[in-house]
Amino acid sequence: MKQYNCEIEAALEVIGGKWKAILLYHLTKGPKRTSELKRLVPGITQKMLTQQLRELEKDSVILRKVHSQIPPKVEYSLTEYGRTLEPVLNSLCHWGKRHIQYVYADEEVMVVNKEVEKTT
Amino acid sequence: MKQYNCEIEAALEVIGGKWKAILLYHLTKGPKRTSELKRLVPGITQKMLTQQLRELEKDSVILRKVHSQIPPKVEYSLTEYGRTLEPVLNSLCHWGKRHIQYVYADEEVMVVNKEVEKTT
DNA sequence: TATTCCGGTTACTTTTTGGTTACTACAGTA
DNA sequence: TACTGTAGTAACCAAAAAGTAACCGGAATA
C-alpha cells in the first residue's frame, strides 16, 4: 500500500526533478525539438535532458514523437494530462518573477529570452 | 550579473529543495514546532529538517522563533513574504491530489492525516 | 574519403546529498 | 544521582546524482 503524508509529495514525484518544471514550462509554449530544449535550458547536459524527459514520458505528462529521418528529429510535447500541470507551472513562474524583483530589486538581473527560430 | 533563463529557475532556488515545498505547505496551516514538523514529515531526519529550515529562513519565507525555555521550544511560521507562496503550494497540492487519483485509481493509496495535538 | 548533422547511450569520475552516531545545554522529575 | 525532554551541532561515511568524454548510426555534403 503506497502511502503519502501529503499530496504535495505525489506532485513532487512527477515534477520534483532538478530540471523537470523548467522543461515542462517550456513545453507549455508548444512542442519542442531536443535541440531547442537544450538551447532554452543552457545549463542542462544531454544526459540529464534525455533522462528527465524519459521520466516525464513515463509519468505520461509528455509525448516523445520520433520522425523517421536522417538526421533524426524528435519532438516533445505536453500530453493532455500534462496540460493539467499548466496552472502549477504558471503559478511557479509568476512567483519566480515576483521573487526576482523582491530579492534583486537593485541589482542587475536578467531573464534571458531566447528567440526561438522555428526549424522544420 | 545574475542571470536566469526562465523565472521558474528563481522560484526553484527557494522551494526546490527536497523537502521545502512540503515543509512550507505544512506551515501554511499555521506555526509549527520542530517536533511537530518531524511528525508531519516522517521521512525527514533531524539534520535535513534543520538544514532545510535554515535555508528557508535565509530566503525570508519562514520565521524561526525561539522561546527561551528549558527544554527548548522553537516555532516556525511563514513570514508575510512566505505567504505569497500559498497559491503555488496550493496548486501543487491540488494537482498532487488529482495525480494520485489518476495514477492509483484502482490501487490502495493513502494520504495520512496526522492529528495535530496542540502543545503549549 | 572525411565531416557534419541530431539524438542518444555508455562507462567512468566527481560532486552533492543524505544518513548515522555521538555530543551539547539545562531544568524538572523519579 | 540518574534520567528525560527539546532542538540542535559536528564528524564521519555511504549512496545517489550529475558531469565528462567517447562513441553510435546513416545520409548528405565538401
Side-chain angles (χ1 to χ4, degrees):
Chain A
M1 181 180 72
K2 180 99 187 181
Q3 181 179 317
Y4 296 105
N5 297 287
C6 90
E7 289 84 0
I8 288 195
E9 289 178 16
L12 292 183
E13 277 187 1
V14 178
I15 63 163
K18 187 176 181 189
W19 306 95
K20 288 182 183 175
I22 296 172
L23 290 170
L24 288 169
Y25 180 69
H26 288 300
L27 291 177
T28 63
K29 316 266 179 152
K32 297 271 174 292
R33 297 186 59 172
T34 310
S35 52
E36 289 183 282
L37 288 173
K38 247 187 276 190
R39 197 157 31 76
L40 291 165
V41 190
I44 201 169
T45 59
Q46 169 74 51
K47 177 188 157 188
M48 287 308 294
L49 179 60
T50 317
Q51 184 196 105
Q52 302 276 294
L53 290 169
R54 288 291 179 286
E55 292 177 13
L56 291 170
E57 204 191 348
K58 278 207 187 73
D59 286 325
S60 308
V61 291
I62 68 169
L63 183 74
R64 177 171 183 262
K65 184 171 183 185
V66 182
H67 301 255
S68 298
Q69 304 179 352
I70 299 269
K73 172 174 173 178
V74 178
E75 264 190 338
Y76 295 94
S77 57
L78 290 185
T79 60
E80 201 178 322
Y81 183 55
R83 259 176 255 124
T84 64
L85 275 167
E86 287 194 47
V88 180
L89 299 166
N90 285 331
S91 69
L92 263 176
C93 180
H94 181 256
W95 192 85
K97 201 174 294 182
R98 170 201 291 245
H99 182 64
I100 289 174
Q101 286 159 16
Y102 179 84
V103 177
Y104 301 102
D106 48 346
E107 293 176 39
E108 247 187 307
V109 180
M110 268 199 64
V111 175
V112 180
N113 265 315
K114 313 257 174 209
E115 303 297 306
V116 181
E117 300 156 41
K118 278 287 168 195
T119 38
T120 40
Chain B
M1 182 180 71
K2 181 99 187 181
Q3 180 179 319
Y4 296 105
N5 297 287
C6 91
E7 288 85 359
I8 288 196
E9 289 178 16
L12 292 182
E13 278 188 0
V14 178
I15 64 162
K18 188 173 179 189
W19 305 95
K20 289 181 182 175
I22 296 172
L23 290 171
L24 288 169
Y25 180 69
H26 287 302
L27 291 177
T28 63
K29 317 264 178 153
K32 298 270 176 289
R33 299 186 58 174
T34 311
S35 52
E36 289 181 281
L37 288 173
K38 248 187 276 189
R39 195 157 32 75
L40 290 165
V41 190
I44 202 169
T45 59
Q46 167 77 50
K47 177 186 161 188
M48 287 307 296
L49 179 60
T50 316
Q51 184 195 104
Q52 301 277 294
L53 289 170
R54 287 293 177 284
E55 292 177 13
L56 291 170
E57 204 191 346
K58 277 206 189 73
D59 286 324
S60 309
V61 292
I62 68 169
L63 182 75
R64 176 170 183 262
K65 184 171 183 186
V66 182
H67 301 254
S68 298
Q69 304 181 350
I70 299 266
K73 172 174 174 177
V74 177
E75 263 190 339
Y76 295 93
S77 57
L78 291 186
T79 60
E80 202 177 322
Y81 183 55
R83 258 176 254 124
T84 64
L85 276 166
E86 287 193 47
V88 179
L89 299 166
N90 286 330
S91 69
L92 263 175
C93 180
H94 181 254
W95 192 85
K97 202 175 291 182
R98 170 200 290 246
H99 182 64
I100 290 174
Q101 285 159 16
Y102 178 84
V103 176
Y104 302 101
D106 47 345
E107 293 176 37
E108 247 187 307
V109 180
M110 266 199 68
V111 175
V112 180
N113 265 313
K114 313 259 173 205
E115 304 296 309
V116 181
E117 301 157 39
K118 280 286 170 197
T119 40
T120 40

